[in-house]
Amino acid sequence: MYSLEELQDKVTTIIESKKFEKQPLSLYEPIEYAMHQGGKRIRPLLVFLAANMFTDDLEEAEYPAVAVELLHNFTLVHDDIMDLSPLRRGKPTVYQKYGINKAILSGDVIYAMAYEQLMNCSEEKIPFLVKTITSVLIKVCEGQAYDMSFETRNDVSIQEYITMISLKTSILLAGSLKMGAIVANASKENMNILSEVGLYLGIAFQLQDDILDCWSDLKDFGKVSGTDIADNKKTVLYLSALDKASEQDRQRLIDLYTEKNIDVQKKIAEVKGLFEKYEVRKDVEFLIKQYSEKAIESVEKIDVEGERKQNLINLIHKLLKRNR
Amino acid sequence: MYSLEELQDKVTTIIESKKFEKQPLSLYEPIEYAMHQGGKRIRPLLVFLAANMFTDDLEEAEYPAVAVELLHNFTLVHDDIMDLSPLRRGKPTVYQKYGINKAILSGDVIYAMAYEQLMNCSEEKIPFLVKTITSVLIKVCEGQAYDMSFETRNDVSIQEYITMISLKTSILLAGSLKMGAIVANASKENMNILSEVGLYLGIAFQLQDDILDCWSDLKDFGKVSGTDIADNKKTVLYLSALDKASEQDRQRLIDLYTEKNIDVQKKIAEVKGLFEKYEVRKDVEFLIKQYSEKAIESVEKIDVEGERKQNLINLIHKLLKRNR
């Protein structure tokens, strides 16, 4: 069995050593740029972690590991266009650097490259892997569609928000764990439990991200703080505040999220003030605790020796203490 | 064996009967719209034609047939954003009707749906089919990247143009024929010859498209005539005219393609005038004849009874006499 650090090193080595630049450069340079901006690379790590629960031979896990990182970057490249995000991991987003057209097209190829990776696996596993990654992608896009539709809706519930982030974030974490289990020939039952782990972990992870977007430093987080507020994203913080606020504050929050002629920095400060007044951060931290406990309970149900589960449990704890 | 008309009807029935609308509507309504705008549906027809050369059981061919039509529509939805095309098949393009964001996201899902279709095929064929469609998609995107890069280049040769359209157009026709051959258990050799047919046919088809874009009626063609000229697309007509024109006309043509403050209708008329002065249409028609003859010569090399090839030969003749 590998240690968490060894697996993390494996991921870094594999992704960093991949070369994406070839002709035409106008297409592949943005791909090289997107893929080598660092990032946490949690998804390929989850592939290796899941595979390593059942086998010490991680050779085949490399392909779905690279595939999920490609898929993740594909969604980032396209989402950043849709969300008009200027920064990602502290650097200009692909569309900011290369323009919308190249970002669309490069994103499309990154997606295809994910399938290319899976083609390196043993033939009998390919159908199941392809089925998994395809269903993941469709659900991630459904999540993004819900997310965009929330921007113009005023009646989003916390439950709907959780469903949206399960689609947009959890499904890919679940798919990563599942694909690791597939290449390691795990049982169907273990695969399903691992998908469940990914589901809960993803929700906790995204709720954590909402907190970080609001309160972390640019230096650590790599994105501008408060962008969710600037973009009128109805995050769990906003929805919890709406639930708890007095009629007057509630109306003010809605106004702040709809007014167009407002100084962005002032808006961020005032919204954060309201979040703090109603202590919504504490509520969200409670939710995170609940979902991460569910994730760990699920890990414990996996039918494999206890020590084989420890890496995944440690990662869950680590992820939920992160500051970026 | 089926007749060409029977196969065409099969394609129409299958594509028209597919329902794409489900939740979230913001994602699936644009897909429904894109997939049910008619179009020539040549690619699924090529899948059936190729399969029907080797078998009368076309049940399995249905999945790659739908997959290639999905893939084609995916490229149209994204290309229309990049090219700012207002009309497609006589109606507003997806991005015009639903906005850029929904067009990007719906396109992504259409692409994933192509893989979903292939998952219905028998398991042992899935790896080869997935490999084929993935490599097709990457090449199509490379072709689109070259196409976009030509817009700002002044030294594009006719040979480079042919290479670009082989990637952008031929590869998907070749892939359609190949996937039909795969599901029909054709020999590797026959598959390769069919890919060759697609390659030549695609070039002839795209050159024909360049002529139609310049001289056909909106009613027949479904797109605004002269858009290639308006968009400064360096089509084969433009490149041939540059090759043949006097120094003065050559410079004028280059100026017309670079000047920004020019009335579009006047520009189209003047460029068409120059195309006519140098009779470039005749040259292109000669090229089309050459490539379609090559396509037919390749069909003749396929190792199957002569009558089984007739449908494909008839389609090639028909496609190159079209007015839309």
Side-chain angles (χ1 to χ4, degrees):
Chain A
M1 215 181 82
Y2 291 88
S3 71
L4 192 52
E5 290 65 36
E6 283 169 333
L7 293 176
Q8 184 68 70
D9 287 348
K10 224 176 179 31
V11 167
T12 309
T13 309
I14 289 169
I15 307 282
E16 295 288 336
S17 68
K18 289 262 167 233
K19 296 264 168 288
F20 298 96
E21 222 165 87
K22 53 175 189 160
Q23 292 296 330
L25 273 186
S26 61
L27 181 63
Y28 288 102
E29 210 186 274
I31 296 177
E32 179 78 24
Y33 178 78
M35 290 300 295
H36 289 160
Q37 293 297 307
K40 293 177 287 294
R41 293 174 180 146
I42 294 157
R43 294 151 192 88
L45 183 59
L46 289 174
V47 174
F48 280 121
L49 273 174
N52 199 205
M53 273 192 188
F54 310 102
T55 175
D56 285 336
D57 177 3
L58 297 183
E59 214 178 313
E60 205 174 7
E62 176 180 333
Y63 308 115
V66 178
V68 294
E69 185 65 8
L70 284 161
L71 192 67
H72 175 54
N73 275 280
F74 151 73
T75 64
L76 297 183
V77 171
H78 279 190
D79 284 6
D80 284 340
I81 306 172
M82 299 180 222
D83 297 340
L84 301 170
S85 307
L87 290 179
R88 160 86 51 200
R89 300 164 187 161
K91 299 216 175 129
T93 53
V94 172
Y95 103 90
Q96 272 282 325
K97 194 172 162 81
Y98 297 99
I100 290 182
N101 287 356
K102 286 183 185 167
I104 294 175
L105 199 61
S106 304
D108 293 344
V109 172
I110 297 176
Y111 179 25
M113 284 173 156
Y115 286 97
E116 253 188 344
Q117 283 297 319
L118 298 181
M119 294 304 103
N120 296 311
C121 292
S122 52
E123 203 148 299
E124 77 282 4
K125 287 173 192 155
I126 291 178
F128 198 8
L129 290 167
V130 170
K131 208 170 172 173
T132 305
I133 207 167
T134 302
S135 126
V136 163
L137 192 275
I138 291 177
K139 292 205 172 87
V140 169
C141 289
E142 289 177 357
Q144 170 71 359
Y146 281 117
D147 195 12
M148 292 197 296
S149 73
F150 287 177
E151 281 166 42
T152 50
R153 275 181 52 196
N154 267 325
D155 55 352
V156 181
S157 69
I158 293 184
Q159 197 43 55
E160 277 182 290
Y161 182 76
I162 303 271
T163 304
M164 182 276 283
I165 63 176
S166 320
L167 290 165
K168 197 173 161 173
T169 304
S170 292
I171 291 288
L172 182 48
L173 303 193
S176 302
L177 289 166
K178 189 173 174 181
M179 287 201 273
I182 293 173
V183 289
N185 296 308
S187 69
K188 277 264 150 69
E189 190 155 56
N190 280 338
M191 271 179 212
N192 291 340
I193 303 172
L194 276 165
S195 297
E196 208 177 86
V197 175
L199 185 75
Y200 295 133
L201 173 60
I203 295 170
F205 184 81
Q206 184 56 52
L207 297 178
Q208 178 83 346
D209 224 51
D210 289 353
I211 290 183
L212 289 171
D213 186 278
C214 191
W215 284 288
S216 84
D217 287 339
L218 173 62
K219 195 170 67 57
D220 293 324
F221 195 50
K223 302 188 215 176
V224 182
S225 150
T227 50
D228 284 346
I229 298 173
D231 296 344
N232 303 319
K233 288 262 175 206
K234 280 150 193 156
T235 66
V236 68
L237 298 164
Y238 173 84
L239 299 170
S240 308
L242 277 194
D243 268 359
K244 293 171 86 182
S246 68
E247 192 43 43
Q248 199 187 340
D249 284 343
R250 196 185 130 82
Q251 195 50 55
R252 180 65 190 147
L253 207 48
I254 292 173
D255 290 347
L256 283 164
Y257 262 55
T258 31
E259 255 176 54
K260 292 225 163 75
N261 300 318
I262 186 165
D263 175 84
V264 176
Q265 287 314 316
K266 272 193 194 150
K267 170 180 162 184
I268 294 175
E270 194 177 342
V271 171
K272 273 167 87 165
L274 286 164
F275 288 174
E276 278 150 18
K277 178 170 174 187
Y278 291 101
E279 299 185 314
V280 292
R281 184 172 173 160
K282 258 204 242 160
D283 303 337
V284 178
E285 279 166 348
F286 180 71
L287 274 177
I288 294 171
K289 196 165 166 287
Q290 279 189 312
Y291 281 106
S292 51
E293 277 167 6
K294 281 188 185 193
I296 286 166
E297 275 165 33
S298 296
V299 177
E300 276 155 8
K301 287 191 291 177
I302 300 170
D303 185 18
V304 76
E305 294 159 59
E307 62 158 356
R308 291 253 165 204
K309 305 174 187 177
Q310 206 48 51
N311 275 339
L312 184 51
I313 292 175
N314 292 348
L315 178 74
I316 295 171
H317 285 301
K318 202 177 134 188
L319 279 180
L320 301 171
K321 274 185 216 126
R322 73 202 160 97
N323 60 357
R324 68 181 187 106
Chain B
M1 215 182 81
Y2 292 89
S3 72
L4 192 53
E5 291 63 37
E6 282 168 335
L7 293 176
Q8 184 69 70
D9 286 349
K10 222 174 179 35
V11 166
T12 309
T13 309
I14 288 169
I15 307 282
E16 295 290 335
S17 68
K18 289 264 166 230
K19 295 265 168 286
F20 298 95
E21 222 165 87
K22 53 176 189 160
Q23 290 298 331
L25 272 188
S26 61
L27 181 63
Y28 288 102
E29 210 186 274
I31 296 176
E32 179 80 23
Y33 178 77
M35 291 300 296
H36 289 159
Q37 292 297 307
K40 292 177 288 294
R41 293 173 181 146
I42 295 158
R43 292 151 194 87
L45 183 60
L46 289 175
V47 174
F48 280 121
L49 272 174
N52 198 205
M53 274 192 187
F54 309 102
T55 176
D56 285 336
D57 176 2
L58 297 183
E59 213 178 312
E60 205 175 5
E62 175 180 333
Y63 308 114
V66 177
V68 294
E69 186 64 8
L70 284 160
L71 192 66
H72 175 55
N73 275 278
F74 151 73
T75 65
L76 298 183
V77 171
H78 279 190
D79 284 4
D80 284 341
I81 305 172
M82 300 180 222
D83 297 340
L84 301 169
S85 308
L87 290 179
R88 161 87 49 201
R89 298 163 187 163
K91 299 213 175 131
T93 52
V94 172
Y95 103 90
Q96 272 282 324
K97 194 171 160 84
Y98 297 99
I100 289 183
N101 287 356
K102 286 183 186 169
I104 293 175
L105 200 61
S106 304
D108 293 343
V109 173
I110 297 177
Y111 179 25
M113 284 173 156
Y115 286 95
E116 254 188 343
Q117 283 297 319
L118 297 180
M119 295 303 104
N120 296 311
C121 293
S122 52
E123 204 148 298
E124 77 281 4
K125 287 174 194 155
I126 290 179
F128 198 7
L129 290 167
V130 170
K131 208 170 172 174
T132 305
I133 207 167
T134 303
S135 125
V136 163
L137 192 276
I138 291 178
K139 292 205 172 86
V140 169
C141 289
E142 290 178 355
Q144 170 71 359
Y146 281 117
D147 196 12
M148 292 197 296
S149 73
F150 288 178
E151 281 166 43
T152 50
R153 274 182 52 196
N154 267 325
D155 55 351
V156 181
S157 68
I158 293 185
Q159 196 43 54
E160 276 182 291
Y161 182 76
I162 303 273
T163 304
M164 182 276 283
I165 62 177
S166 324
L167 290 164
K168 197 172 161 172
T169 305
S170 292
I171 291 288
L172 183 48
L173 302 193
S176 302
L177 288 165
K178 189 174 174 179
M179 288 202 272
I182 293 173
V183 289
N185 295 309
S187 68
K188 277 264 150 71
E189 189 155 57
N190 279 338
M191 271 179 211
N192 291 340
I193 303 172
L194 275 165
S195 296
E196 209 175 82
V197 174
L199 185 74
Y200 294 133
L201 173 61
I203 295 171
F205 184 81
Q206 184 56 52
L207 296 178
Q208 178 82 345
D209 225 51
D210 289 353
I211 290 182
L212 288 170
D213 187 279
C214 191
W215 284 287
S216 84
D217 288 340
L218 174 62
K219 195 170 66 57
D220 293 324
F221 195 51
K223 303 188 215 175
V224 182
S225 150
T227 49
D228 284 345
I229 298 172
D231 296 345
N232 304 319
K233 287 263 177 208
K234 280 151 192 153
T235 66
V236 68
L237 298 165
Y238 173 84
L239 299 171
S240 308
L242 276 194
D243 268 359
K244 293 171 86 182
S246 68
E247 193 42 44
Q248 199 187 341
D249 283 345
R250 196 184 131 83
Q251 196 50 54
R252 181 65 191 147
L253 206 47
I254 293 173
D255 289 348
L256 283 164
Y257 262 55
T258 32
E259 253 174 56
K260 292 221 164 74
N261 300 316
I262 186 165
D263 177 84
V264 176
Q265 287 314 316
K266 271 194 196 151
K267 171 180 160 183
I268 293 175
E270 195 177 339
V271 171
K272 273 168 88 166
L274 286 165
F275 289 174
E276 277 150 18
K277 178 171 172 187
Y278 291 101
E279 298 186 313
V280 293
R281 183 170 174 161
K282 258 204 242 160
D283 303 337
V284 178
E285 278 166 351
F286 180 71
L287 274 177
I288 294 171
K289 197 164 164 284
Q290 279 188 313
Y291 281 105
S292 52
E293 277 167 6
K294 281 187 186 196
I296 286 166
E297 274 165 34
S298 296
V299 177
E300 275 155 10
K301 285 191 292 178
I302 300 169
D303 186 19
V304 77
E305 293 159 60
E307 62 158 356
R308 291 252 165 205
K309 305 174 187 178
Q310 206 48 53
N311 275 340
L312 184 51
I313 292 175
N314 292 347
L315 178 74
I316 295 172
H317 286 302
K318 201 176 135 190
L319 279 180
L320 301 171
K321 275 187 215 123
R322 73 204 160 96
N323 60 357
R324 69 181 186 106

